[in-house]
């Protein structure tokens, strides 16, 4: 028991004694025959018992561990308030009371006061509560009751956020009941119960009575259920209701909000009623002053209570919403780990991620709105009732106007939705095109096609802006109705009221109380349509979620996983039949085999015969129809498509096991990962991008293999891991890992393979065909049988032979990346680095990213620098305030005239609105003569006119702001697009395309559709607040003393809040993406996770990631509440002072002015709230303008065309290229890649450029096209220095056939000739020469055939030929071939070579060759090494010199 608690208890007991002292005193008086009223007996008795109860409650709460009790605080507060009244009368009446009672009462009063103060301090947590070892616990629980209802406990965080930007480590940990591990299991349990119920119910509803009697004897209630089913076989019963489950899980906590909401709604109507009393008080000059002060106080207390209750309500709603989201995400994640593969096919990865993001979000939003369903009608009914009391039947006119406006709003909402869909469609098209442009930017630059694509993007953008314009007009209409509705309602009501009957007098009380009520009405009427649409959306989401959660799950018992015993074998399958889902035909029939422990089994067969399915069946991924399957011991699995996590390479291999250095090293070495680790920037600590973007296919496969080997399981299932790696790497892996001498020689291994050369070393071979095992035995046995296996061998052996041959010509084998040479021909690590960056040269984006590492100097860097290496520049989040220049930029983008016009129209609107209300107050003060007012019609007319002018101004500014917004977004998008296209190639290599696409989608979307409405609301609320202040000042000028200080408080609170909330928002969005990417990753690797039985670790990871996100979200909810409570108090003070000054100056004021100023001040709280909301929204969204502007300041490449130096249109006539002392580097801080190159190439010469990987062959072409500018020296073509002319002038005149053929989505014709310069005949001729004519003629759309994104619907060879056709069409004097024939089979290769020979006979051709046989008949060959020309001459001449060229030819088997 703490001292505080002891004090409270002691005081409680003393209070009880004091009360009963009074009681005993009364008894004593009776004995003295002084008979007092019975009150003196009853009152102390009751009070004493109450105090005793309170004392017990204090103890009870201590035992329960309550740290601060709301009940007690409220109890002491009310007791004290009651006592104050008595105290006042006691003091006034001091002389005539008896001394004893006076003394006891004083003691009682003081003790109450002390108790109240003690109650405000929180107790320390009870000793028996579990110790919280939380580094940063949330202060909410140790806060006192007062601190909780005013959200004072978050102030510490706000102060911290104001001093410096918050970081993730400053955030508190979540409360226990908000954590995933608390919430998710609850929902999962309830859902499982509900789901089991529906599954239990038999589907066929036919029962024989016998069965029923049986069941009734065993279990009473089943019969009733059964009978019910027979009577009414309704569909409903067979679907589990997710809503019921959610209600069960979250209902009890959420029900509290009902009470709060109801209390708040009732208090809301107290304002207008007290206003009525106040106006009566001002009108009635005889009323005593205290009445006025009492009403003022009451108004203030009501407003404050309303504030506190409303924000408790919101807090509950938001916390429920947050928990809902946590629960739904968790449940979806857990479900995704157990659904069958057939169910996986029905919902794509994207859809499931959407369930997590979009649908969970909808529930969150709904949680805050759902109470409006009953609260809005309640508010409307109450308001109408009070209005009817005030104005009688003329209210109906106003109501009619409101009801008329509802369908208008609904129609507009529908229209807006259709426009939105249309806009989304254009936006998707635009983003798709942008994506392609950014992925193929290299090709665009080489062909100088930027302008053509810019036009295409702008064309789509034009459509988008058209739709935007339409929706802007609609938005203007909507704003018009929303702003004018209250006015129209008031106008129609007052007009009807005044004109029905001459004796109806519009006095201040009627007018302003009605206005206040109309303002209250406006909110529910506008909310209802929103709530309904929100509910409809949530119900759709509910259905989608229910469908997903009801998918069938894998049966964990279909495969018996047991410990190893020395019985018949390690894997036993008897008569098993499997299918992919319950309703599919079986894909594996009657499978029988046993695998003894420690043996090596190969599974072979044609493509699609069910080899991989067999492994899936052993893992339990398929649906077992019949049979018996046992897998003993733990399992490791290597899938065909390697699955790599976005983590360090080491984490990928260890995969949640303990780290064991020696074992790890052995595994890495056996899987041939050492050379790769040396190449990676930070060794095995290098982070691997999502889906393993920075590894090649073979590296991913080897990482996946290393993961399996490291985990030291008993049974290994390999799904063709050797297909993705080079032949010699495969051999190394087989020997060191899988084979009879490998690390795993004592384990049971099942290997699916196509590689025949390993088969003789197998213990057993299973031959599969069409889902059955056709033969089985050792290699020798199967050969003797001469069945399907022997035939399989023959077909494959031939293929292998031809593969071996083709390998000799191309140094890189099957895989295009020499990084694969895991057991690389012992070169020094320095050279190894060069190799990796090689032959996929710099044309591919992937290697482009590592291009900068290509100098040897970089390899010698100290480790410290190595570790800091990151893939790309991360997208940076700005911190701190947004600069004023950004707003100015936006205004300039709109156009200054329009900006100032809109501000002027805003002013007009608000002046009109103030004037009309002021006019109303003058009208209500008109003297009443003979029961009527004079000039009624004039007053009404002017009132109407002012209102209409207000409406016109509203419409005007709405239109102007919306149109201005469209101008701005057009201008900003155009600039962004132009600047990005003008950026040099190095920019695209540094910036991930995701960041750029984000700028084009997210930021531009914000500028299009979020900023203009926010600006409207921001301006609106600003002027509303200013207007209200002006009215209050007009009525009571003395308020000028109070408004500025309150304004300062307001500004201070607002700045305070914005700093913190901005940063919390950033932290929240930064921590959100890991949730989705982790989920994506899990879905892709779900079979691996299940095979390794790592589900629980992944579920934990997901929970941690969700909690991290909610950790930032929770403070931001509370920060919003904190702000709102503070601001509403500022607003409540304004109400207090407006009323107070009106009471003080009541003799000088007319009732009309009092009504006006108080009814305005009642609205001010709402406006202040909006104002802060909007200003912080504006600040978070205007950042988009800043980020779009960012790219305008980037470095640009040289001008596209320069008038003065543009060469003649016929240039180059001869095609002579001279390199004079040429040198090139990729970046300022790197070494030269090419140095001191002096070569003259005469017109029409055919030059081959060869050299080891990384010798600078591709760099030469980059220099020729000025993708990189020269570091020294110059290149001269036909006497013109290319550095002096515009880039397009240069690039249009040289043609390149790049290494990876990139096509864009669009027609084939567009891909050949985007500028429409050539006729159809020309195009067909070029297609004929490129050997594509037959193919294109056979297409239904011929030249208009739509190419898919990246040309996916053409084969690689065909794409290469399309690139050739492009070159033939441009027919320029200089042609550069960058090993254009790497992807083409030998036959097509010959065709291309012959075409080039015949068609480009008089042109200069530079070929970067990888296959030397293509350049043996060229005029000259340049051999590059380390960026210098080492040999130059005709091929025969160089072969005789026995230099580098000779050795290369020897390697290729040409000599």
């Amino acid at each position: 028991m703490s001292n505080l608690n002891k004090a409270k208890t002691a005081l409680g007991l003393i209070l009880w004694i004091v009360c009963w002292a009074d009681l005993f005193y009364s008894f004593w008086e009776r004995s003295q025959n002084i008979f007092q009223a019975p009150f003196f007996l009853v009152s102390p008795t009751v009070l004493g018992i109450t105090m005793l109860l309170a004392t017990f409650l204090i103890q009870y709460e201590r035992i329960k561990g309550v740290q601060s009790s709301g009940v007690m605080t409220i109890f002491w507060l009310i007791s004290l308030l009651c006592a104050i009244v008595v105290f006042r009368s006691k003091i006034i009446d001091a002389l005539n009371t008896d001394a004893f009672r006076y003394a006891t009462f004083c003691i009682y009063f003081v003790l109450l006061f002390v108790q109240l103060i003690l109650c405000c301090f929180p107790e320390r947590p009870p000793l028996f509560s579990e110790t919280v070892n939380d580094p940063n616990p949330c202060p909410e629980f140790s806060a006192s009751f007062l601190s909780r209802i005013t959200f004072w406990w978050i102030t510490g965080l706000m102060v911290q956020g104001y001093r410096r930007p918050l970081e993730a480590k400053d955030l508190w940990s979540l409360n226990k009941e908000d954590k995933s591990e608390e919430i998710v299991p609850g929902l999962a349990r309830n859902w499982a119960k509900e789901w089991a119920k529906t599954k239990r119910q038999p589907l066929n509803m036919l029962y024989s009575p016998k069965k029923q009697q049986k069941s009734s004897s065993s279990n009473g209630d089943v019969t009733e259920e059964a009978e019910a089913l027979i009577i009414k076989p309704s569909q409903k019963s067979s679907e589990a209701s997710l809503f019921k489950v959610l209600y069960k899980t979250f209902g009890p906590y959420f029900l509290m909000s009902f009470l709060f909401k109801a209390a708040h709604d009732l208090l809301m109507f107290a304002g207008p009623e007290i206003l009525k009393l106040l106006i009566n008080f001002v009108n009635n000059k005889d009323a005593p002053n205290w009445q006025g002060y009492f009403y003022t106080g009451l108004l203030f207390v009501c407003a404050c209570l309303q504030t506190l209750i409303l924000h408790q309500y919101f807090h509950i709603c938001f916390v429920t919403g947050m928990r809902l989201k946590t629960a739904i995400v968790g449940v979806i994640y857990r479900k995704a780990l157990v659904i069958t593969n057939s169910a996986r096919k029905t919902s794509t990865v994207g859809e499931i991620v959407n369930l997590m993001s979009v649908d969970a979000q909808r529930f969150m939003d709904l949680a805050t709105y759902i109470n409006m369903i009953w609260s809005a009608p309640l508010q409307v009914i109450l308001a109408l009732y009070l209005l009817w009391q005030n104005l009688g039947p003329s209210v109906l006119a106003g109501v009619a106007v409101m009801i008329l406006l509802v369908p208008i709003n609904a129609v507009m909402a529908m229209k807006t939705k259709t426009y939105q869909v249309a806009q989304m469609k254009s936006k998707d098209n635009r983003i798709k095109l942008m994506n392609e442009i950014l992925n193929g930017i290299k090709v665009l630059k080489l062909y100088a096609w930027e302008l053509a694509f810019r036009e295409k993007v702008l064309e789509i953008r034009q459509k988008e802006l058209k739709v935007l314009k339409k929706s802007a007009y609609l938005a203007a209409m909507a704003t018009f109705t929303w702003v004018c509705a209250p006015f129209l309602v008031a106008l129609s009501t007052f007009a009807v009221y005044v004109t029905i009957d001459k004796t109806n007098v519009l006095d201040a009380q009627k007018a302003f109380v009605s206005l206040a009520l109309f303002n209250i009405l406006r909110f529910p009427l506008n909310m209802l349509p929103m709530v309904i649409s929100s509910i409809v959306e949530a119900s759709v989401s509910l259905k989608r979620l229910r469908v997903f959660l009801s998918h069938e799950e894998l049966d964990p018992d279909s495969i018996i996983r047991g410990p190893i015993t020395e019985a018949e074998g390690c894997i036993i399958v008897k008569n098993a039949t499997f299918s992919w889902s319950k309703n599919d035909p079986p894909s594996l029939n009657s499978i029988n085999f046993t695998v003894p422990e420690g043996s090596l089994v190969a599974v072979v067969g044609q493509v699609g015969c069910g080899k991989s399915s067999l492994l899936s069946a052993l893992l339990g991924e398929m649906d077992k129809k019949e049979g018996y399957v046992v897998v003993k011991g733990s399992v490791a699995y290597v899938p065909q498509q390697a699955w790599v996590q976005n983590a360090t390479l080491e984490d990928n291999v260890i995969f949640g096991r303990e780290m064991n250095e020696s074992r790890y090293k052995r595994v890495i070495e056996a899987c041939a990962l050492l050379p790769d680790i040396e190449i990676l920037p930070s060794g095995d600590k290098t982070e691997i991008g999502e889906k393993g973007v920075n590894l090649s296919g073979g590296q991913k496969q080897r990482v996946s293999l290393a993961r399996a080997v490291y985990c030291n399981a008993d049974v290994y299932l390999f799904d063709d891991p050797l297909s993705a790696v080079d032949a010699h790497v495969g051999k190394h892996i087989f020997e060191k890992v899988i084979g009879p001498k490998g690390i795993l020689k004592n384990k049971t291994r099942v290997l699916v393979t196509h590689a025949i050369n390993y088969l003789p070393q197998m213990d057993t071979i299973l031959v599969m065909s069409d889902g059955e095992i056709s033969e089985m035995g050792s290699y020798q046995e199967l050969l003797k049988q001469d069945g399907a296996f022997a035939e399989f061998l023959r077909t494959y052996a031939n293929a292998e032979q031809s593969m071996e041959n083709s390998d000799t010509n191309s140094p890189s084998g099957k895989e295009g990346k020499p990084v694969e040479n895991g057991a690389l021909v012992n070169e020094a690590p320095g050279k190894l680095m060069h190799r990796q960056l090689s032959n996929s040269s710099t044309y591919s984006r992937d290697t482009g990213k590592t291009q900068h590492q290509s100098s040897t100097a970089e390899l010698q860097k100290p480790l410290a620098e190595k570790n800091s290496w990151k893939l790309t520049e991360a997208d940076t989040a700005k911190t701190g305030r947004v600069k004023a220049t950004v707003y100015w930029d936006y205004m300039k983008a709109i156009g200054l005239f329009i900006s100032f016009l809109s501000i002027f129209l805003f002013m007009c609107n608000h002046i009109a609105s103030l004037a009309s209300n002021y006019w109303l107050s003058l009208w209500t003060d008109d003297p009443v003569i003979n029961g009527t007012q004079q000039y009624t019609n004039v007053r009404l007319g002017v009132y109407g006119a002012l209102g209409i002018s207000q409406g016109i101004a509203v419409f005007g500014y709405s239109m102007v702001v919306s149109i201005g917004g469209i101008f701005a977004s057009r201008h900003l998008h155009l600039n962004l697009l132009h600047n990005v296209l003008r950026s040099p190639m190095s920019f695209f290599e540094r910036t991930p395309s995701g960041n750029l696409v984000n700028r084009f989608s997210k930021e531009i979307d914000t500028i299009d559709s979020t900023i203009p409405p926010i600006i409207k609301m921001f301006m609106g609320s600003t002027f509303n607040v200013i207007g209200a202040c002006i009215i209050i000042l007009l009525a009571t000028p003395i308020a000028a003393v109070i408004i500025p200080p309150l304004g300062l408080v307001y500004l201070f609170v607002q700045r305070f809040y914005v700093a913190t909330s901005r940063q919390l928002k950033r932290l929240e969005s930064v921590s959100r993406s890991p949730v989705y990417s982790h989920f994506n990753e899990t879905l892709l690797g779900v079979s691996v996770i299940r095979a390794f039985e790592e589900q629980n670790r992944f579920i934990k990871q997901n929970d941690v990631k969700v909690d991290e996100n909610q950790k930032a979200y929770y403070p931001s909810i509370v920060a919003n509440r904190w702000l709102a409570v503070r601001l509403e108090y500022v607003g409540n003070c304004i109400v207090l002072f407006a009323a107070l000054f009106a009471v003080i100056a009541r003799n000088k004021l007319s009732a009309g002015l009092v009504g006006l100023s108080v009814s305005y001040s009642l609205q001010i709280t709402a406006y202040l709230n909006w104002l802060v909301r909007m200003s912080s929204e504006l600040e978070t969204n205007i950042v988009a303008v800043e980020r779009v502007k960012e790219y305008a300041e980037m470095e640009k490449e040289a001008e596209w065309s320069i008038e003065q130096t543009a060469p003649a249109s016929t240039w180059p006539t001869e095609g002579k290229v001279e390199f004079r002392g040429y040198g090139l580097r990729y970046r300022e801080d790197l070494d030269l890649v090419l140095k001191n190159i002096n070569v003259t190439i005469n017109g029409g010469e055919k030059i081959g450029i060869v050299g080891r990987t990384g010798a600078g062959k591709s760099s030469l072409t980059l220099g020729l096209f000025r993708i990189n500018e020269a570091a020294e020296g110059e290149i001269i073509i036909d006497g013109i220095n290319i550095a002096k002319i515009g880039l397009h002038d240069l690039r249009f005149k040289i043609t390149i056939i790049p290494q990876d053929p990139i096509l864009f989505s669009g027609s084939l014709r567009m891909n050949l000739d985007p500028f429409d310069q050539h006729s159809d005949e020309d195009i067909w001729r070029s297609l004929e020469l490129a050997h594509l004519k037959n193919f294109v003629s056979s297409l239904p759309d011929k030249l208009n055939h739509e190419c898919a994104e990246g040309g996916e619907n053409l084969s690689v060879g065909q794409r290469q030929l399309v690139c050739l056709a492009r070159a033939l069409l441009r027919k320029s004097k200089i042609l550069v071939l960058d090993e254009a024939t790497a992807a083409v089979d030998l036959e097509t290769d010959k065709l291309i070579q012959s075409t080039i020979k015949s068609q480009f006979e008089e042109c200069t051709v530079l070929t970067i060759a990888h296959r030397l046989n293509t350049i043996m008949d060229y005029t000259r060959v340049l051999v590059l090494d380390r960026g210098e020309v080492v040999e130059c001459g005709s091929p025969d001449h160089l072969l005789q010199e026995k230099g580098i060229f000779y050795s290369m030819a020897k390697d290729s088997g040409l000599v």
Side-chain angles (χ1 to χ4, degrees), residues 822-844:
L824 233 136
V825 210
N826 19 3
E827 290 186 25
K831 272 204 188 142
L832 194 63
M833 185 65 175
H834 283 310
R835 298 254 7 207
Q836 180 229 355
L837 297 162
S838 73
N839 96 14
S840 1
S841 83
T842 37
Y843 283 121
S844 91

Side-chain angles (χ1 to χ4, degrees), residues 1216-1224 1234-1241 1260 1263-1264 1270-1284 1429:
K1216 179 179 178 188
V1217 182
E1218 295 178 66
F1219 290 88
R1220 298 186 182 167
Y1222 186 75
L1224 176 83
L1234 294 175
K1235 28 191 184 294
N1236 193 17
I1237 294 197
N1238 288 298
V1239 179
T1240 302
I1241 299 167
L1260 206 56
L1264 191 57
E1272 51 188 47
E1274 53 194 12
I1275 301 178
I1276 303 223
I1277 299 181
D1278 282 6
I1280 292 186
N1281 181 351
I1282 63 168
K1284 298 279 189 289
V1429 178

Side-chain angles (χ1 to χ4, degrees), residues 658-858:
E658 282 96 73
M659 177 66 175
N660 173 339
E661 276 296 327
S662 57
R663 178 176 180 76
Y664 177 71
K665 286 218 170 73
R666 232 174 49 240
V667 169
I668 292 286
E669 209 225 338
C671 294
L673 277 168
L674 275 176
D676 304 302
I677 288 180
E678 278 174 22
I679 290 176
L680 290 170
S682 332
D684 59 3
K685 299 282 188 291
T686 307
E687 190 178 330
I688 294 172
E690 43 195 301
K691 296 190 192 154
V693 285
N694 45 349
L695 296 182
S696 66
Q699 285 169 321
K700 281 191 266 195
Q701 194 63 61
R702 294 206 297 279
V703 170
S704 167
L705 185 69
R707 173 195 304 146
V709 177
Y710 184 83
C711 95
N712 200 7
D714 304 314
V715 179
Y716 280 83
L717 305 176
F718 298 110
D719 196 347
D720 206 1
L722 302 175
S723 63
V725 296
D726 276 3
H728 54 274
V729 182
K731 199 163 147 200
H732 170 94
I733 287 178
F734 187 79
E735 281 166 11
K736 288 277 173 35
V737 182
I738 304 172
K741 297 196 183 64
I743 291 190
L744 304 176
K745 55 177 180 281
N746 305 326
K747 312 279 188 186
T748 312
R749 291 144 295 168
V750 179
L751 172 71
V752 170
T753 184
H754 285 150
I756 300 175
N757 39 357
Y758 305 130
L759 293 182
Q761 305 182 38
M762 302 289 172
D763 299 333
T764 320
I765 298 171
L766 300 180
V767 185
M768 298 203 58
S769 61
D770 296 335
E772 297 181 3
I773 295 182
S774 54
E775 298 177 273
M776 174 173 178
S778 69
Y779 187 74
Q780 262 32 51
E781 288 165 17
L782 290 178
L783 276 183
K784 287 197 190 91
Q785 285 175 24
D786 196 27
F789 178 66
E791 190 186 331
F792 168 79
L793 273 187
R794 279 184 217 107
T795 50
Y796 264 88
N798 297 340
E800 287 273 302
Q801 231 77 56
S802 63
M803 274 306 291
E804 296 290 304
N805 293 346
S806 71
D807 272 5
T808 50
N809 318 0
S810 94
S812 71
K814 285 182 241 174
E815 235 180 321
K817 301 195 179 174
V819 196
E820 290 320 327
N821 312 357
L824 233 136
V825 210
N826 19 3
E827 290 186 25
K831 272 204 188 142
L832 194 63
M833 185 65 175
H834 283 310
R835 298 254 7 207
Q836 180 229 355
L837 297 162
S838 73
N839 96 14
S840 1
S841 83
T842 37
Y843 283 121
S844 91
R845 279 298 292 267
D846 289 340
T847 46
K849 284 181 185 164
T850 39
Q851 213 178 347
H852 321 305
Q853 273 75 35
S854 63
S855 73
T856 358
E858 204 138 308

Side-chain angles (χ1 to χ4, degrees), residues 1253-1264:
T1253 304
K1257 306 189 293 285
S1258 303
S1259 312
L1260 206 56
T1261 54
L1262 293 184
L1264 191 57

Side-chain angles (χ1 to χ4, degrees), residues 154-164 166 172 1053 1056-1061 1064 1115 1118-1120 1122-1123:
I154 194 184
T155 312
L157 189 72
M158 306 295 271
V159 173
Q160 213 174 356
Y162 183 65
R163 291 206 182 121
R164 61 174 173 77
L166 288 173
W172 305 309
V1053 167
F1056 215 70
Y1057 159 80
V1058 170
T1060 308
S1061 103
L1064 283 172
V1118 181
N1120 279 337
W1122 178 90
L1123 169 81

Side-chain angles (χ1 to χ4, degrees), residues 1051-1079:
L1051 273 175
F1052 174 68
V1053 167
Q1054 194 256 12
R1055 284 260 45 101
F1056 215 70
Y1057 159 80
V1058 170
T1060 308
S1061 103
R1062 193 180 334 114
Q1063 206 51 30
L1064 283 172
K1065 238 193 185 130
R1066 279 180 190 146
L1067 288 173
E1068 198 262 338
S1069 60
V1070 165
S1071 65
R1072 194 170 38 215
S1073 28
V1075 176
Y1076 301 141
S1077 45
H1078 176 242
F1079 186 55

Side-chain angles (χ1 to χ4, degrees), residues 867-879:
N867 290 341
S868 63
W869 187 86
K870 268 273 168 268
L871 246 180
T872 39
E873 296 178 358
D875 209 349
T876 45
K878 287 271 166 72
T879 49

